[in-house]
PDB file of all heavy atoms in Angstrom:
ATOM      1  N   MET A 225      11.631  13.784 -28.538  1.00  0.00           N
ATOM      2  CA  MET A 225      10.877  14.790 -27.796  1.00  0.00           C
ATOM      3  C   MET A 225       9.505  15.012 -28.482  1.00  0.00           C
ATOM      4  O   MET A 225       9.425  15.116 -29.693  1.00  0.00           O
ATOM      5  CB  MET A 225      11.620  16.130 -27.782  1.00  0.00           C
ATOM      6  CG  MET A 225      10.989  17.194 -26.934  1.00  0.00           C
ATOM      7  SD  MET A 225      12.014  18.661 -26.831  1.00  0.00           S
ATOM      8  CE  MET A 225      10.979  19.718 -25.814  1.00  0.00           C
ATOM      9  N   PRO A 226       8.428  15.034 -27.685  1.00  0.00           N
ATOM     10  CA  PRO A 226       7.099  15.191 -28.298  1.00  0.00           C
ATOM     11  C   PRO A 226       6.950  16.544 -28.997  1.00  0.00           C
ATOM     12  O   PRO A 226       7.685  17.502 -28.717  1.00  0.00           O
ATOM     13  CB  PRO A 226       6.137  15.115 -27.090  1.00  0.00           C
ATOM     14  CG  PRO A 226       6.962  14.447 -26.016  1.00  0.00           C
ATOM     15  CD  PRO A 226       8.349  14.865 -26.246  1.00  0.00           C
ATOM     16  N   GLU A 227       5.992  16.633 -29.907  1.00  0.00           N
ATOM     17  CA  GLU A 227       5.688  17.874 -30.592  1.00  0.00           C
ATOM     18  C   GLU A 227       4.696  18.706 -29.782  1.00  0.00           C
ATOM     19  O   GLU A 227       4.790  19.947 -29.776  1.00  0.00           O
ATOM     20  CB  GLU A 227       5.110  17.580 -31.975  1.00  0.00           C
ATOM     21  CG  GLU A 227       6.125  16.984 -32.949  1.00  0.00           C
ATOM     22  CD  GLU A 227       5.531  16.806 -34.323  1.00  0.00           C
ATOM     23  OE1 GLU A 227       4.325  17.109 -34.480  1.00  0.00           O
ATOM     24  OE2 GLU A 227       6.240  16.345 -35.238  1.00  0.00           O
ATOM     25  N   ILE A 228       3.751  18.064 -29.122  1.00  0.00           N
ATOM     26  CA  ILE A 228       2.764  18.780 -28.319  1.00  0.00           C
ATOM     27  C   ILE A 228       2.601  18.051 -26.986  1.00  0.00           C
ATOM     28  O   ILE A 228       2.920  16.861 -26.866  1.00  0.00           O
ATOM     29  CB  ILE A 228       1.398  18.924 -29.019  1.00  0.00           C
ATOM     30  CG1 ILE A 228       0.856  17.537 -29.353  1.00  0.00           C
ATOM     31  CG2 ILE A 228       1.539  19.779 -30.270  1.00  0.00           C
ATOM     32  CD1 ILE A 228      -0.569  17.590 -29.953  1.00  0.00           C
ATOM     33  N   TRP A 229       2.061  18.773 -25.996  1.00  0.00           N
ATOM     34  CA  TRP A 229       1.825  18.207 -24.668  1.00  0.00           C
ATOM     35  C   TRP A 229       0.374  18.498 -24.270  1.00  0.00           C
ATOM     36  O   TRP A 229      -0.120  19.634 -24.422  1.00  0.00           O
ATOM     37  CB  TRP A 229       2.765  18.833 -23.647  1.00  0.00           C
ATOM     38  CG  TRP A 229       4.188  18.466 -23.817  1.00  0.00           C
ATOM     39  CD1 TRP A 229       4.897  17.543 -23.120  1.00  0.00           C
ATOM     40  CD2 TRP A 229       5.108  19.019 -24.755  1.00  0.00           C
ATOM     41  NE1 TRP A 229       6.186  17.473 -23.572  1.00  0.00           N
ATOM     42  CE2 TRP A 229       6.362  18.366 -24.581  1.00  0.00           C
ATOM     43  CE3 TRP A 229       5.015  20.017 -25.764  1.00  0.00           C
ATOM     44  CZ2 TRP A 229       7.481  18.641 -25.341  1.00  0.00           C
ATOM     45  CZ3 TRP A 229       6.121  20.282 -26.520  1.00  0.00           C
ATOM     46  CH2 TRP A 229       7.338  19.628 -26.313  1.00  0.00           C
ATOM     47  N   ALA A 230      -0.298  17.467 -23.752  1.00  0.00           N
ATOM     48  CA  ALA A 230      -1.713  17.610 -23.344  1.00  0.00           C
ATOM     49  C   ALA A 230      -1.818  17.389 -21.848  1.00  0.00           C
ATOM     50  O   ALA A 230      -1.576  16.279 -21.352  1.00  0.00           O
ATOM     51  CB  ALA A 230      -2.575  16.571 -24.102  1.00  0.00           C
ATOM     52  N   VAL A 243      -3.830  21.773 -24.400  1.00  0.00           N
ATOM     53  CA  VAL A 243      -2.758  21.279 -25.267  1.00  0.00           C
ATOM     54  C   VAL A 243      -1.849  22.436 -25.620  1.00  0.00           C
ATOM     55  O   VAL A 243      -2.336  23.515 -26.018  1.00  0.00           O
ATOM     56  CB  VAL A 243      -3.312  20.613 -26.530  1.00  0.00           C
ATOM     57  CG1 VAL A 243      -2.174  20.110 -27.405  1.00  0.00           C
ATOM     58  CG2 VAL A 243      -4.256  19.465 -26.165  1.00  0.00           C
ATOM     59  N   LEU A 251      -2.899  25.405 -27.792  1.00  0.00           N
ATOM     60  CA  LEU A 251      -3.515  24.995 -29.040  1.00  0.00           C
ATOM     61  C   LEU A 251      -4.954  24.533 -28.846  1.00  0.00           C
ATOM     62  O   LEU A 251      -5.754  24.538 -29.792  1.00  0.00           O
ATOM     63  CB  LEU A 251      -2.716  23.843 -29.692  1.00  0.00           C
ATOM     64  CG  LEU A 251      -1.216  24.104 -29.906  1.00  0.00           C
ATOM     65  CD1 LEU A 251      -0.570  22.863 -30.504  1.00  0.00           C
ATOM     66  CD2 LEU A 251      -1.004  25.310 -30.808  1.00  0.00           C
ATOM     67  N   ILE A 267      -9.445  12.687 -27.533  1.00  0.00           N
ATOM     68  CA  ILE A 267      -8.216  11.996 -27.978  1.00  0.00           C
ATOM     69  C   ILE A 267      -8.061  12.110 -29.500  1.00  0.00           C
ATOM     70  O   ILE A 267      -6.957  12.394 -30.007  1.00  0.00           O
ATOM     71  CB  ILE A 267      -8.250  10.527 -27.553  1.00  0.00           C
ATOM     72  CG1 ILE A 267      -8.207  10.426 -26.005  1.00  0.00           C
ATOM     73  CG2 ILE A 267      -7.067   9.760 -28.144  1.00  0.00           C
ATOM     74  CD1 ILE A 267      -8.387   9.015 -25.484  1.00  0.00           C
ATOM     75  N   GLY A 268      -9.159  11.937 -30.243  1.00  0.00           N
ATOM     76  CA  GLY A 268      -9.102  12.056 -31.666  1.00  0.00           C
ATOM     77  C   GLY A 268      -8.714  13.443 -32.132  1.00  0.00           C
ATOM     78  O   GLY A 268      -7.896  13.617 -33.041  1.00  0.00           O
ATOM     79  N   ASP A 269      -9.265  14.486 -31.477  1.00  0.00           N
ATOM     80  CA  ASP A 269      -8.940  15.870 -31.853  1.00  0.00           C
ATOM     81  C   ASP A 269      -7.484  16.170 -31.587  1.00  0.00           C
ATOM     82  O   ASP A 269      -6.809  16.885 -32.367  1.00  0.00           O
ATOM     83  CB  ASP A 269      -9.847  16.836 -31.097  1.00  0.00           C
ATOM     84  CG  ASP A 269     -11.285  16.738 -31.559  1.00  0.00           C
ATOM     85  OD1 ASP A 269     -11.544  16.161 -32.642  1.00  0.00           O
ATOM     86  OD2 ASP A 269     -12.169  17.246 -30.812  1.00  0.00           O
ATOM     87  N   VAL A 270      -6.965  15.706 -30.434  1.00  0.00           N
ATOM     88  CA  VAL A 270      -5.567  15.989 -30.119  1.00  0.00           C
ATOM     89  C   VAL A 270      -4.639  15.261 -31.084  1.00  0.00           C
ATOM     90  O   VAL A 270      -3.635  15.825 -31.564  1.00  0.00           O
ATOM     91  CB  VAL A 270      -5.279  15.558 -28.659  1.00  0.00           C
ATOM     92  CG1 VAL A 270      -3.774  15.722 -28.354  1.00  0.00           C
ATOM     93  CG2 VAL A 270      -6.100  16.402 -27.680  1.00  0.00           C
ATOM     94  N   LEU A 271      -4.962  14.025 -31.419  1.00  0.00           N
ATOM     95  CA  LEU A 271      -4.121  13.274 -32.337  1.00  0.00           C
ATOM     96  C   LEU A 271      -4.142  13.829 -33.746  1.00  0.00           C
ATOM     97  O   LEU A 271      -3.189  13.636 -34.523  1.00  0.00           O
ATOM     98  CB  LEU A 271      -4.539  11.799 -32.361  1.00  0.00           C
ATOM     99  CG  LEU A 271      -4.221  11.013 -31.068  1.00  0.00           C
ATOM    100  CD1 LEU A 271      -4.738   9.575 -31.186  1.00  0.00           C
ATOM    101  CD2 LEU A 271      -2.757  11.005 -30.740  1.00  0.00           C
ATOM    102  N   GLU A 272      -5.214  14.539 -34.102  1.00  0.00           N
ATOM    103  CA  GLU A 272      -5.275  15.206 -35.413  1.00  0.00           C
ATOM    104  C   GLU A 272      -4.244  16.341 -35.463  1.00  0.00           C
ATOM    105  O   GLU A 272      -3.711  16.648 -36.542  1.00  0.00           O
ATOM    106  CB  GLU A 272      -6.658  15.736 -35.685  1.00  0.00           C
ATOM    107  CG  GLU A 272      -7.663  14.654 -36.085  1.00  0.00           C
ATOM    108  CD  GLU A 272      -9.026  15.253 -36.429  1.00  0.00           C
ATOM    109  OE1 GLU A 272      -9.144  16.522 -36.407  1.00  0.00           O
ATOM    110  OE2 GLU A 272      -9.963  14.492 -36.726  1.00  0.00           O
ATOM    111  N   MET A 273      -3.959  16.973 -34.324  1.00  0.00           N
ATOM    112  CA  MET A 273      -2.961  18.035 -34.278  1.00  0.00           C
ATOM    113  C   MET A 273      -1.578  17.472 -34.509  1.00  0.00           C
ATOM    114  O   MET A 273      -0.750  18.038 -35.256  1.00  0.00           O
ATOM    115  CB  MET A 273      -2.988  18.760 -32.937  1.00  0.00           C
ATOM    116  CG  MET A 273      -4.316  19.459 -32.633  1.00  0.00           C
ATOM    117  SD  MET A 273      -4.239  20.239 -30.980  1.00  0.00           S
ATOM    118  CE  MET A 273      -5.927  20.806 -30.852  1.00  0.00           C
ATOM    119  N   SER A 274      -1.297  16.318 -33.849  1.00  0.00           N
ATOM    120  CA  SER A 274      -0.016  15.680 -34.009  1.00  0.00           C
ATOM    121  C   SER A 274      -0.099  14.265 -33.439  1.00  0.00           C
ATOM    122  O   SER A 274      -0.788  14.054 -32.431  1.00  0.00           O
ATOM    123  CB  SER A 274       1.096  16.462 -33.257  1.00  0.00           C
ATOM    124  OG  SER A 274       2.309  15.719 -33.270  1.00  0.00           O
ATOM    125  N   GLY A 275       0.574  13.355 -34.107  1.00  0.00           N
ATOM    126  CA  GLY A 275       0.613  11.971 -33.605  1.00  0.00           C
ATOM    127  C   GLY A 275       1.650  11.779 -32.515  1.00  0.00           C
ATOM    128  O   GLY A 275       1.701  10.733 -31.869  1.00  0.00           O
ATOM    129  N   ASP A 276       2.491  12.797 -32.309  1.00  0.00           N
ATOM    130  CA  ASP A 276       3.555  12.737 -31.304  1.00  0.00           C
ATOM    131  C   ASP A 276       3.159  13.621 -30.129  1.00  0.00           C
ATOM    132  O   ASP A 276       3.507  14.827 -30.130  1.00  0.00           O
ATOM    133  CB  ASP A 276       4.883  13.156 -31.914  1.00  0.00           C
ATOM    134  CG  ASP A 276       6.039  12.927 -30.979  1.00  0.00           C
ATOM    135  OD1 ASP A 276       5.816  12.285 -29.923  1.00  0.00           O
ATOM    136  OD2 ASP A 276       7.180  13.330 -31.296  1.00  0.00           O
ATOM    137  N   VAL A 277       2.433  13.071 -29.175  1.00  0.00           N
ATOM    138  CA  VAL A 277       1.912  13.838 -28.047  1.00  0.00           C
ATOM    139  C   VAL A 277       2.202  13.138 -26.762  1.00  0.00           C
ATOM    140  O   VAL A 277       2.176  11.912 -26.692  1.00  0.00           O
ATOM    141  CB  VAL A 277       0.388  14.077 -28.207  1.00  0.00           C
ATOM    142  CG1 VAL A 277      -0.338  12.773 -28.416  1.00  0.00           C
ATOM    143  CG2 VAL A 277      -0.196  14.798 -27.005  1.00  0.00           C
ATOM    144  N   LEU A 278       2.526  13.894 -25.730  1.00  0.00           N
ATOM    145  CA  LEU A 278       2.688  13.362 -24.388  1.00  0.00           C
ATOM    146  C   LEU A 278       1.528  13.850 -23.527  1.00  0.00           C
ATOM    147  O   LEU A 278       1.358  15.058 -23.377  1.00  0.00           O
ATOM    148  CB  LEU A 278       4.028  13.796 -23.784  1.00  0.00           C
ATOM    149  CG  LEU A 278       4.252  13.379 -22.317  1.00  0.00           C
ATOM    150  CD1 LEU A 278       4.256  11.857 -22.177  1.00  0.00           C
ATOM    151  CD2 LEU A 278       5.552  13.982 -21.777  1.00  0.00           C
ATOM    152  N   TRP A 279       0.791  12.930 -22.970  1.00  0.00           N
ATOM    153  CA  TRP A 279      -0.317  13.268 -22.099  1.00  0.00           C
ATOM    154  C   TRP A 279       0.195  13.333 -20.654  1.00  0.00           C
ATOM    155  O   TRP A 279       1.043  12.528 -20.270  1.00  0.00           O
ATOM    156  CB  TRP A 279      -1.444  12.240 -22.212  1.00  0.00           C
ATOM    157  CG  TRP A 279      -2.042  12.155 -23.579  1.00  0.00           C
ATOM    158  CD1 TRP A 279      -1.529  11.541 -24.665  1.00  0.00           C
ATOM    159  CD2 TRP A 279      -3.305  12.753 -23.995  1.00  0.00           C
ATOM    160  NE1 TRP A 279      -2.363  11.681 -25.759  1.00  0.00           N
ATOM    161  CE2 TRP A 279      -3.460  12.434 -25.381  1.00  0.00           C
ATOM    162  CE3 TRP A 279      -4.279  13.500 -23.372  1.00  0.00           C
ATOM    163  CZ2 TRP A 279      -4.557  12.824 -26.101  1.00  0.00           C
ATOM    164  CZ3 TRP A 279      -5.394  13.899 -24.062  1.00  0.00           C
ATOM    165  CH2 TRP A 279      -5.537  13.569 -25.419  1.00  0.00           C
ATOM    166  N   LEU A 295      -6.338   6.009 -23.156  1.00  0.00           N
ATOM    167  CA  LEU A 295      -5.059   6.436 -23.722  1.00  0.00           C
ATOM    168  C   LEU A 295      -4.115   5.240 -23.905  1.00  0.00           C
ATOM    169  O   LEU A 295      -3.429   5.135 -24.931  1.00  0.00           O
ATOM    170  CB  LEU A 295      -4.413   7.477 -22.795  1.00  0.00           C
ATOM    171  CG  LEU A 295      -5.084   8.848 -22.740  1.00  0.00           C
ATOM    172  CD1 LEU A 295      -4.460   9.732 -21.658  1.00  0.00           C
ATOM    173  CD2 LEU A 295      -5.002   9.550 -24.106  1.00  0.00           C
ATOM    174  N   HIS A 298      -4.942   3.227 -26.878  1.00  0.00           N
ATOM    175  CA  HIS A 298      -4.555   3.895 -28.101  1.00  0.00           C
ATOM    176  C   HIS A 298      -3.041   4.020 -28.236  1.00  0.00           C
ATOM    177  O   HIS A 298      -2.547   4.698 -29.154  1.00  0.00           O
ATOM    178  CB  HIS A 298      -5.188   5.291 -28.167  1.00  0.00           C
ATOM    179  CG  HIS A 298      -6.632   5.283 -28.555  1.00  0.00           C
ATOM    180  ND1 HIS A 298      -7.631   4.874 -27.669  1.00  0.00           N
ATOM    181  CD2 HIS A 298      -7.284   5.603 -29.718  1.00  0.00           C
ATOM    182  CE1 HIS A 298      -8.808   4.961 -28.265  1.00  0.00           C
ATOM    183  NE2 HIS A 298      -8.634   5.393 -29.510  1.00  0.00           N
ATOM    184  N   GLY A 299      -2.288   3.410 -27.312  1.00  0.00           N
ATOM    185  CA  GLY A 299      -0.836   3.433 -27.386  1.00  0.00           C
ATOM    186  C   GLY A 299      -0.230   4.763 -27.076  1.00  0.00           C
ATOM    187  O   GLY A 299       0.868   5.094 -27.565  1.00  0.00           O
ATOM    188  N   GLN A 300      -0.921   5.589 -26.246  1.00  0.00           N
ATOM    189  CA  GLN A 300      -0.444   6.933 -25.942  1.00  0.00           C
ATOM    190  C   GLN A 300       0.378   6.932 -24.630  1.00  0.00           C
ATOM    191  O   GLN A 300      -0.063   6.308 -23.639  1.00  0.00           O
ATOM    192  CB  GLN A 300      -1.628   7.903 -25.818  1.00  0.00           C
ATOM    193  CG  GLN A 300      -2.398   8.098 -27.081  1.00  0.00           C
ATOM    194  CD  GLN A 300      -1.525   8.750 -28.140  1.00  0.00           C
ATOM    195  OE1 GLN A 300      -1.070   9.872 -28.004  1.00  0.00           O
ATOM    196  NE2 GLN A 300      -1.319   8.037 -29.246  1.00  0.00           N
ATOM    197  N   PRO A 301       1.528   7.594 -24.578  1.00  0.00           N
ATOM    198  CA  PRO A 301       2.296   7.718 -23.333  1.00  0.00           C
ATOM    199  C   PRO A 301       1.594   8.703 -22.379  1.00  0.00           C
ATOM    200  O   PRO A 301       1.100   9.765 -22.794  1.00  0.00           O
ATOM    201  CB  PRO A 301       3.642   8.257 -23.804  1.00  0.00           C
ATOM    202  CG  PRO A 301       3.336   9.030 -25.057  1.00  0.00           C
ATOM    203  CD  PRO A 301       2.183   8.302 -25.726  1.00  0.00           C
TER     204      PRO A 301
END
Side-chain angles (χ1 to χ4, degrees):
M225 186 175 179
E227 291 183 358
I228 60 175
W229 291 259
V243 180
L251 306 179
I267 294 173
D269 292 344
V270 174
L271 291 178
E272 284 183 3
M273 298 179 186
S274 173
D276 189 7
V277 53
L278 174 63
W279 298 78
L295 290 172
H298 283 74
Q300 296 297 297

